[in-house]
Amino acid sequence: MAKDVIIALDFPNGRDALSFLENFKEEEVFVKVGMELFYKEGPEIVRKIKKLGHKIFLDLKIHDIPNTCAGATRSLLSLDVDMINYHAAGTGKMLNEASKLIKESNKEVISLAVTMLTSTDEDTMHDEIKIDKDLVLEDVVLSYAKLSKNSGLSGIVCSALEVPKIKEALGEEFITVTPGIRKDKNNSDDQKRVVTPKDARKLGSDYIVVGRPITKAENPLNAYREIKEEFLGGK
Ligand code: C5P
């Protein structure tokens, strides 16, 4: 299975994102475009980045009624993105319709589910989302992951620390995309539970998502290469 590093393009506008990508003229990379950049620049930023030869994870976390979700999926498929995601809480019917459309398109698009956002803790999950008090967060993540797999999605976004359990329950082929990666565990910015690229490999992550350790590095290309080498097993 393909393993790769995805660079999170967390920039406020297209000019900054494209200027950062000047560092990657010699190397085609996989980047994540999130809501901040997409809502500012629209689909044109996706076309521009694709034109540079890079792969795109369009992180828009779709969550709506099945019909609207299907329409959104059609629009994203027309942009030729490489990875898209949905909230598992949108339920099986929504996820099913999306994965059916992706399969019918014959495009190689990886579809992921977001399970429980990492900003939601267990108390909030019980008190505000009203998930049964008997369930711990880990059970809910696993149950959403199962629902996603049964609905035809390719994988989930999760912490690298959760990968062994997910793979054990859902199989090696079920893709795990893991943010919260730091080479230096003492320099974690606002991330709470960080994992090194090497440990992410050992834990079985398929893709790691890395933002600031690359975007804020003095030499982003070198930082990217070092992280990639460590993740893929060169070091
Ligand atoms: O800069 P940093 O490496 O922390 O960026 C991580 C990226 O992954 C950001 O775009 C962040 O929004 C995203 N992400 C995350 N944790 C999640 C889901 C997404 O850090 N649970």
Side-chain angles (χ1 to χ4, degrees):
M1 194 191 299
K3 297 219 170 209
D4 211 346
V5 174
I6 301 176
I7 306 172
L9 285 187
D10 291 323
F11 293 101
N13 58 58
R15 198 190 54 230
D16 291 358
L18 293 170
S19 142
F20 168 78
L21 285 174
E22 293 271 308
N23 292 293
F24 295 87
K25 280 187 171 154
E26 311 162 24
E27 191 137 348
E28 286 174 6
V29 290
F30 209 135
V31 300
K32 179 169 88 68
V33 172
M35 293 184 206
E36 182 182 15
L37 189 54
F38 189 80
Y39 290 156
K40 175 82 178 167
E41 304 291 350
E44 203 44 38
I45 189 67
V46 171
R47 294 192 190 99
K48 283 183 182 160
I49 295 172
K50 285 297 293 186
K51 229 180 184 167
L52 295 172
H54 304 304
K55 286 189 168 177
I56 298 184
F57 169 15
L58 193 51
D59 179 15
L60 298 182
K61 301 184 178 68
I62 298 169
H63 186 177
D64 213 312
I65 60 170
N67 186 53
T68 304
C69 169
T73 302
R74 273 189 212 98
S75 296
L76 297 190
L77 286 170
S78 76
L79 283 175
D80 282 332
V81 291
D82 303 275
M83 195 181 263
I84 49 184
N85 60 357
Y86 303 87
H87 268 286
T91 75
K93 185 160 166 42
M94 183 197 87
L95 300 172
N96 250 311
E97 293 214 7
S99 58
K100 214 170 83 201
L101 280 170
I102 295 170
K103 280 191 190 107
E104 283 166 9
S105 76
N106 282 325
K107 295 189 177 184
E108 279 189 29
V109 182
I110 296 173
S111 54
L112 303 173
V114 176
T115 56
M116 196 54 67
L117 289 171
T118 42
S119 49
T120 306
D121 62 20
E122 203 159 291
D123 284 342
T124 314
M125 181 183 90
H126 292 138
D127 298 343
E128 297 184 16
I129 309 180
K130 301 290 181 200
I131 284 179
D132 200 304
K133 295 247 188 234
D134 293 341
L135 293 171
V136 295
L137 205 140
E138 219 175 58
D139 296 335
V140 179
V141 169
L142 194 57
S143 158
Y144 276 164
K146 280 184 186 154
L147 175 72
S148 309
K149 185 178 181 202
N150 293 339
S151 307
L153 263 57
S154 331
I156 60 166
V157 181
C158 63
S159 158
L161 298 165
E162 291 161 356
V163 171
K165 267 214 157 132
I166 298 286
K167 296 277 189 186
E168 191 194 344
L170 300 173
E172 277 303 313
E173 296 302 306
F174 195 62
I175 293 173
T176 50
V177 176
T178 64
I181 304 294
R182 290 295 180 272
K183 274 184 77 129
D184 174 5
K185 286 193 175 174
N186 298 317
N187 194 359
S188 60
D189 301 306
D190 54 351
Q191 295 283 10
K192 296 273 183 270
R193 295 186 305 157
V194 297
V195 171
T196 65
K198 187 176 177 181
D199 287 344
R201 161 167 47 95
K202 287 189 187 155
L203 289 161
S205 293
D206 298 296
Y207 293 86
I208 53 174
V209 178
V210 187
R212 287 159 290 181
I214 297 174
T215 56
K216 301 258 188 254
E218 222 165 274
N219 185 329
L221 179 60
N222 280 351
Y224 167 78
R225 284 181 172 158
E226 273 180 37
I227 287 170
K228 186 157 175 167
E229 195 184 351
E230 195 183 314
F231 178 56
L232 296 183
K235 270 186 192 169

